[in-house]
Amino acid sequence: MRRPKRMVSLEGSEHPRDPGIRQAGKADPNEILKVTLHLRSRNHAKNFLDREIAALIAGRRKPMTREEWQEKYGADPADVKKIEALVSEHGFTVGATHFGARMMTLMGTSERASAFFGIKRMMFDSPDGRFAGHTGTVRIPAEIAPLIEDVVGLDNRRQAQRQQPQWIMVKEAGLTPSGYLPTEIAIVYNFPKRYTGKGETIGVIELGGGYRPEDIQKYCALMKTPVPTIVAVSVDGTTNSPEGKTKDFDGEVVGDIETIAGSAPGATIAAYFSKNSNQGFLDGVRFAVHDKQHRPSILSISWGGPESTYTRNTLVTFNKVLQEAALLGITVCCASGDHGSSAGVPGGQHVSFPPSSPYALACGGTRLKITDQNTIKEEVVWHGKEGASGGGFSEVSPIPDWQKSTPVASQAKRFKKTGRGVPDVASVADPTTGFLVLVNGKYGVGAGTSAAAPVWAGLIARINESLGRAVGFINPLLYQSASDFEKAGAFRAITTGNNGFYHAGPGWNPCTGYGSPNGTKLANAMAKCKAPKTLAAAK
């Protein structure tokens, strides 16, 4: 197979070494691969995203529409034409190009891709099963190397974990176990009662699994809420497939949808289905951010994994996508993880990504007990045999400016850390005090921080409706106005418990952030915000 003459290494494309993964022979050379190229922006200025974010935070610019983004920062048609010509010469079929998302797909055999990208594809065995992938650095033909930021799809190892402990299921379909309804949690957390999230679209990222409409209908009848409009969006050929090959993830999908249906019953839900791989996760989020058809104003992501499991280039590319979301006025709510202060990595303290991104609202977890009158009886850090609230300090993202003059900085110094503090906020996550779900005709109870993310997504949808604008990139405002929010009673600080290494305490802490919300007081406080330009997101 002919290989391009001059090749340039794609820095940071090496997969971290994992002692649990071992080679298991050669990959099928005739396997048809669908490879995604993430292209550079038509604006070639260095660090343009950082400058745009700084202007957004300072109130010097408003969020952009997706059309404005594509025109100013989308892929350059001249770049696309040049890449198409070269890859066609080497036997690839060029698929769709998404100019706004700067995504271009190629299809070709494994043998052809190995030659073109300078790799050797092998089979590997891992605890998650056998997969085809590669070792070493991806290489790109020199003549198009400056036009490409990342290449994904050459390795299909499972990238993300569902941020959720095992659901406690009841086998008999007619029985209903004890568990909170999202509508009850909305009352407990004092969500704005006059608003339902009407006019908002919440996107949920799903890496497998599916939902049955009849379950959602029955669940909404139980909550006495209208059935929301739900659209299933296929990103890479993955579809809504309840009880299919990835049925183990059905609870994740249904949990997201049913939680949002109760916490923001007036919102539309767009479920983006993609593969659980480096390519699928990144492409799914990127597609949702730039989706001109459904236009989500909020994303809820219940998936993630330890920072150390990502390639360096993927972390950089993913962060850029979340920056783009911020510039488009999209709030990205991410589950902080269910493995406490270790993030599931033996030894030391670690955090999960994407919640560790500065451009994600990281949602930690609590154990919640409520009274018969739907008031809080007790709320502490979630930490039990089923898991614990993820939190700590990033080893990849330095502490952002908006966390530097806050308790995050003092705690980071105390623990000799220099990274972004996680989480930002929290809500109920302990599955023993978790949500009732209805999955494939069976009731169950569960939670995890994957429940916290859609709870917060639902609250943000109600706040957006109440303000008449999308709050968008909320993190700088959350920290810069923390004292105002505290005075307004917008958060319930979680002062009891730990997530392993870190302990709760007044104000921000690396277990539950600023704590659980008082939704109405938070909405009222945000309405009085002195920096409205940072909130005025265009739809």
Side-chain angles (χ1 to χ4, degrees):
M1 191 66 62
R2 185 166 64 92
R3 178 170 291 185
K5 294 181 179 179
R6 291 181 56 242
M7 306 283 283
V8 176
S9 294
L10 180 62
E11 291 187 17
S13 59
E14 306 90 350
H15 284 278
R17 291 186 177 182
D18 187 333
I21 294 177
R22 55 186 177 83
Q23 291 188 11
K26 295 181 179 179
D28 179 1
N30 298 313
E31 178 190 359
I32 301 299
L33 301 185
K34 184 177 180 181
V35 180
T36 306
L37 306 182
H38 292 276
L39 310 181
R40 70 175 181 177
S41 168
R42 67 195 307 159
N43 184 314
H44 303 159
K46 188 176 181 180
N47 299 328
F48 74 91
L49 281 171
D50 294 334
R51 289 195 293 274
E52 288 282 27
I53 289 289
L56 182 75
I57 294 172
R60 298 194 302 270
R61 64 156 301 115
K62 294 182 180 180
M64 308 170 75
T65 66
R66 289 170 170 87
E67 288 75 16
E68 289 170 341
W69 167 270
Q70 180 171 322
E71 180 65 26
K72 189 172 183 179
Y73 291 127
D76 189 331
D79 288 354
V80 172
K81 187 175 181 180
K82 186 174 182 178
I83 295 169
E84 284 179 341
L86 182 63
V87 298
S88 296
E89 287 180 10
H90 286 266
F92 289 97
T93 300
V94 179
T97 297
H98 193 310
F99 283 87
R102 295 185 281 132
M103 294 164 54
M104 180 180 183
T105 57
L106 314 176
M107 285 165 285
T109 64
S110 174
E111 182 180 27
R112 197 175 300 278
S114 295
F116 189 78
F117 292 106
I119 59 169
K120 184 176 181 180
R121 295 190 82 238
M122 302 288 294
M123 298 302 298
F124 296 87
D125 283 328
S126 78
D128 293 320
R130 180 164 290 191
F131 67 89
H134 69 87
T135 58
T137 305
V138 174
R139 305 177 73 199
I140 303 174
E143 57 196 288
I144 60 171
L147 316 182
I148 297 172
E149 293 185 344
D150 199 8
V151 179
V152 291
L154 300 172
D155 191 294
N156 62 4
R157 73 188 67 198
R158 184 176 290 180
Q159 178 65 71
Q161 306 165 351
R162 51 180 177 171
Q163 303 290 37
Q164 164 192 305
Q166 185 66 38
W167 292 93
I168 304 167
M169 301 304 297
V170 173
K171 295 181 180 180
E172 295 80 7
L175 297 179
T176 306
S178 175
Y180 298 138
L181 292 173
T183 44
E184 293 175 318
I185 296 303
I187 294 172
V188 169
Y189 288 146
N190 194 27
F191 282 19
K193 297 179 179 64
R194 291 177 51 198
Y195 304 99
T196 63
K198 183 179 180 181
E200 301 297 316
T201 296
I202 300 174
V204 291
I205 304 301
E206 306 298 353
L207 305 181
Y211 67 92
R212 302 192 316 170
E214 56 267 37
D215 288 339
I216 309 302
Q217 292 167 5
K218 186 174 180 180
Y219 192 80
C220 288
L222 181 66
M223 293 191 295
K224 299 180 181 179
T225 60
V227 179
T229 298
I230 306 171
V231 291
V233 184
S234 175
V235 175
D236 59 1
T238 303
T239 59
N240 174 35
S241 303
E243 301 184 282
K245 291 183 179 179
T246 55
K247 62 183 178 182
D248 287 349
F249 302 145
D250 288 354
E252 185 70 57
V253 177
V254 175
D256 287 341
I257 292 173
E258 291 178 348
T259 300
I260 292 171
S263 58
T268 294
I269 302 171
Y272 295 89
F273 288 92
S274 195
K275 295 177 182 177
N276 188 353
S277 64
N278 183 39
Q279 178 186 31
F281 198 9
L282 184 53
D283 287 1
V285 175
R286 192 160 216 163
F287 186 90
V289 167
H290 292 281
D291 183 1
K292 293 181 182 178
Q293 181 177 357
H294 304 102
R295 298 178 179 269
S297 53
I298 304 152
L299 290 185
S300 179
I301 303 177
S302 295
W303 298 80
E307 290 177 324
S308 60
T309 62
Y310 292 80
T311 68
R312 183 161 56 89
N313 206 57
T314 293
L315 289 169
V316 171
T317 303
F318 213 131
N319 249 331
K320 288 182 178 179
V321 175
L322 297 180
Q323 282 184 300
E324 293 168 17
L327 290 171
L328 292 172
I330 301 168
T331 307
V332 182
C333 302
C334 291
S336 74
D338 294 349
H339 299 284
S341 58
S342 73
V345 178
Q349 297 81 50
H350 306 277
V351 293
S352 290
F353 186 88
S356 68
S357 168
Y359 311 102
L361 181 70
C363 305
T366 69
R367 177 168 60 85
L368 175 69
K369 293 183 179 180
I370 64 176
T371 68
D372 292 339
Q373 291 74 41
N374 283 338
T375 60
I376 295 176
K377 182 178 180 181
E378 179 187 53
E379 190 167 23
V380 300
V381 178
W382 168 43
H383 188 178
K385 62 181 181 180
E386 299 84 6
S389 177
F393 300 90
S394 174
E395 297 172 79
V396 173
S397 298
I399 185 168
D401 288 342
W402 37 265
Q403 282 190 335
K404 285 182 178 178
S405 298
T406 72
V408 177
S410 59
Q411 292 220 35
K413 183 178 181 180
R414 174 189 171 193
F415 293 111
K416 299 181 180 180
K417 305 290 186 179
T418 59
R420 182 259 206 272
V422 177
D424 303 302
V425 294
S427 73
V428 58
D430 188 340
T432 63
T433 61
F435 287 95
L436 177 70
V437 291
L438 178 60
V439 184
N440 297 327
K442 297 181 176 68
Y443 286 102
V445 176
T449 56
S450 65
V455 164
W456 269 93
L459 173 57
I460 296 297
R462 292 203 196 198
I463 292 176
N464 285 356
E465 183 191 1
S466 74
L467 296 177
R469 58 180 183 256
V471 299
F473 182 34
I474 194 175
N475 293 22
L477 181 66
L478 181 68
Y479 286 86
Q480 292 171 358
S481 301
S483 60
D484 293 334
F485 292 149
E486 184 177 2
K487 291 175 184 177
F491 291 100
R492 177 186 176 88
I494 308 302
T495 60
T496 303
N498 67 83
N499 67 351
F501 182 79
Y502 301 106
H503 290 258
W508 185 90
N509 63 71
C511 300
T512 53
Y514 280 113
S516 59
N518 183 312
T520 297
K521 291 184 178 181
L522 178 60
N524 292 340
M526 294 191 71
K528 299 176 182 178
C529 173
K530 297 179 181 179
K533 289 183 180 180
T534 65
L535 305 177
K539 295 290 187 69

